[in-house]
Amino acid sequence: MAQVYIVLPAYDPLDPNGNITVKWDIMSWTPDGYVAAVTVNNFQMYRHIMSPGWTLGWTWARREVIWAAVGAEATEQGDCSRFKGNVPHCCKKTPTFVDLLPGVPYNQQFTNCCKGGVLSAWGQDPSTAVSSFQLSVGSAGTTNRTVRLPRNFTLLGPGTGYTCGRARIVPPTIFLTPAGRRRTQALMTWNVTCSYSQLRARKYPSCCVSLSSFYNSTIVHCPSCSCGCQDKRNCVQSDSKMLSVVEDDAKRKGNELPLLQCTRHMCPVRVHWHVMLNYKEYWRVKVSITNFNYRMNYTHWTLVMQHPNFNNVTQVFSFDYKPLIAYSSINDTGMFYGLKFFNDRLVQAGEFGFVQSEMLLQKDKNTFTLREGWAFPRKVYFNGDECQLPPPDVYPFLPNSAHEILLSFSALISSFFFLFIAI
């Protein structure tokens, strides 16, 4: 009998429950509609929404209009010529909304609004992983039975990659008064769940991984054209005379298209894993992250790496101006541990466009080995997207006679390893 398999492209094995949930709470009825609080929750553990932020869209079921909005605004008003006197905020059948920027007048603000659409990952800071705004909807139903749910929800975060399901009515949201002594509830609530797919977001990866070790002089570079070579003609050489002009241009706002440094891999971000030292009971790894995009400062970035020895991370050391915060956790399969790094900023390509950290890991004598590439990561994710790893058959190999001298010479060899590897 033939078997049928259903593939879910948005499923993430490291964050199987991660999603962005949009919640609509009808707070009151009006003569021709309702007032709703719309909340965008980022429940993804390590994928955040960077500037220029989220964009939320939908299609009205009937001829609804939006009389007013607080904490967000429609990108287009649409044709409101049928209205005399008061003109709605938006009359489009398919409105799209964006968060307001910081610093707007107080009377335009709403709870958890006005961050330019930027949302932290849930694993970084749940308090800043939420955004809210208020809508006054007209020409709509005025009871639970006559309200028609919007459909065809879309979410940009800020690029493509998210697919939203249908709006579903759920039990009304419960609210506590500031004193915590009284419970109120929404008149009606529905949720929309949006899931991310890296394949939908882009054709090629957005990061790659290079490898090296103290026991082998070979540096395994990122595979050629790891992130596609479509930008090869527009890249900038690191020694170009135009570099200062490029760096000044990158500081101007409005330049959203990437401008990459010319490399073999043509990735905006490279993660380098270097096995530094091998002690009797511990081993040490250095991780370096380099930004090759002259037009991107990565704020609140995340790095997730998967390795079976991350259950024994003893210490994490940082040598940068901003400390790295690391968390070790096991996934649902109980097989691989992931180490999550959080940081405030990875600045644009150039002199300061990198961060690095060292990890001291305690050995599990039943599993630890330097043979067959065991010491290198299984998977690497930057900002939630999986990075391109080199093929296993080119990993730095352990010479046959190396086991006799590893402990004696590992520190000496590591001390001569240069800080910036060739690109």
Side-chain angles (χ1 to χ4, degrees):
M1 181 181 294
Q3 293 180 328
V4 178
Y5 296 91
I6 299 176
V7 179
L8 301 177
Y11 176 78
D12 189 337
L14 285 179
D15 189 18
N17 299 315
N19 65 73
I20 291 182
T21 299
V22 182
K23 182 177 66 172
W24 288 56
D25 290 312
I26 295 182
M27 307 304 295
S28 62
W29 303 110
T30 62
D32 72 333
Y34 57 85
V35 175
V38 181
T39 304
V40 181
N41 286 291
N42 183 13
F43 292 125
Q44 299 174 111
M45 290 301 297
Y46 51 84
R47 182 179 293 110
H48 65 290
I49 304 296
M50 296 189 300
S51 178
W54 55 261
T55 300
L56 181 65
W58 62 86
T59 301
W60 289 118
R62 295 175 176 172
R63 300 187 67 190
E64 292 90 339
V65 298
I66 299 171
W67 285 109
V70 181
E73 61 184 355
T75 57
E76 296 182 45
Q77 183 184 37
D79 182 8
C80 296
S81 58
R82 64 189 173 100
F83 291 91
K84 308 298 181 182
N86 293 333
V87 178
H89 176 80
C90 179
C91 300
K92 285 183 68 67
K93 178 76 171 179
T94 56
T96 56
F97 268 75
V98 294
D99 192 15
L100 295 181
L101 298 174
V104 299
Y106 183 77
N107 61 353
Q108 298 179 26
Q109 297 181 24
F110 193 69
T111 305
N112 293 317
C113 85
C114 313
K115 296 176 287 189
V118 175
L119 296 177
S120 299
W122 190 262
Q124 286 178 297
D125 186 356
S127 66
T128 57
V130 58
S131 182
S132 302
F133 58 95
Q134 180 179 277
L135 298 177
S136 297
V137 182
S139 301
T142 56
T143 68
N144 290 39
R145 292 186 176 182
T146 57
V147 166
R148 293 294 179 265
L149 276 59
R151 56 180 184 266
N152 300 332
F153 278 84
T154 61
L155 178 68
L156 300 178
T160 59
Y162 288 94
T163 303
C164 299
R166 294 186 301 170
R168 299 183 182 277
I169 297 176
V170 297
T173 302
I174 304 297
F175 303 95
L176 285 176
T177 59
R181 303 178 63 183
R182 173 176 164 80
R183 292 157 58 95
T184 62
Q185 69 179 50
L187 303 178
M188 185 178 182
T189 299
W190 61 81
N191 283 349
V192 177
T193 301
C194 302
S195 301
Y196 180 85
S197 169
Q198 184 173 344
L199 296 177
R200 178 180 172 86
R202 55 183 61 86
K203 183 178 180 180
Y204 300 101
S206 57
C207 53
C208 65
V209 180
S210 56
L211 309 169
S212 63
S213 66
F214 70 87
Y215 54 79
N216 192 311
S217 60
T218 301
I219 297 175
V220 179
H221 299 283
C222 292
S224 180
C225 293
S226 293
C227 300
C229 283
Q230 64 273 16
D231 295 325
K232 196 76 172 181
R233 294 181 180 179
N234 299 322
C235 63
V236 179
Q237 297 289 345
S238 58
D239 57 351
S240 172
K241 296 180 180 180
M242 297 294 294
L243 192 56
S244 60
V245 177
V246 170
E247 291 176 343
D248 290 340
D249 177 70
K251 297 177 182 177
R252 302 173 186 172
K253 294 182 178 180
N255 291 328
E256 302 296 339
L257 294 176
L259 181 60
L260 302 183
Q261 185 181 127
C262 295
T263 60
R264 293 175 64 253
H265 51 76
M266 288 304 296
C267 289
V269 172
R270 181 194 63 201
V271 179
H272 183 73
W273 175 287
H274 174 58
V275 181
M276 293 182 63
L277 297 168
N278 181 33
Y279 306 109
K280 182 177 180 180
E281 296 183 357
Y282 299 89
W283 61 297
R284 188 186 294 255
V285 173
K286 176 185 284 187
V287 177
S288 304
I289 310 171
T290 305
N291 183 4
F292 293 100
N293 190 347
Y294 287 102
R295 290 179 177 166
M296 174 64 74
N297 290 326
Y298 292 94
T299 56
H300 303 290
W301 56 266
T302 63
L303 176 69
V304 178
M305 298 177 294
Q306 195 178 57
H307 193 279
N309 205 168
F310 279 162
N311 61 328
N312 285 324
V313 179
T314 304
Q315 289 180 305
V316 177
F317 306 92
S318 176
F319 296 93
D320 304 294
Y321 64 95
K322 289 288 187 180
L324 287 136
I325 305 173
Y327 298 94
S328 179
S329 60
I330 193 168
N331 69 356
D332 290 345
T333 66
M335 294 177 62
F336 292 107
Y337 283 80
L339 193 66
K340 304 178 179 113
F341 288 90
F342 301 131
N343 204 341
D344 286 341
R345 197 176 189 189
L346 174 60
V347 299
Q348 67 200 39
E351 182 181 1
F352 301 105
F354 73 96
V355 292
Q356 55 185 342
S357 184
E358 293 183 12
M359 296 176 290
L360 185 65
L361 300 98
Q362 186 174 7
K363 294 180 179 179
D364 182 342
K365 296 181 179 180
N366 296 322
T367 59
F368 178 83
T369 179
L370 293 176
R371 297 185 180 280
E372 300 178 355
W374 185 91
F376 297 106
R378 307 304 188 260
K379 289 183 179 293
V380 176
Y381 294 77
F382 183 80
N383 278 350
D385 285 340
E386 186 172 355
C387 302
Q388 180 69 50
L389 281 160
D393 60 343
V394 300
Y395 282 15
F397 65 89
L398 182 67
N400 292 332
S401 60
H403 65 280
E404 298 178 359
I405 58 174
L406 282 178
L407 295 178
S408 301
F409 289 92
S410 61
L412 178 62
I413 297 175
S414 180
S415 65
F416 287 100
F417 183 84
F418 43 88
L419 180 61
F420 300 105
I421 67 170
I423 59 175

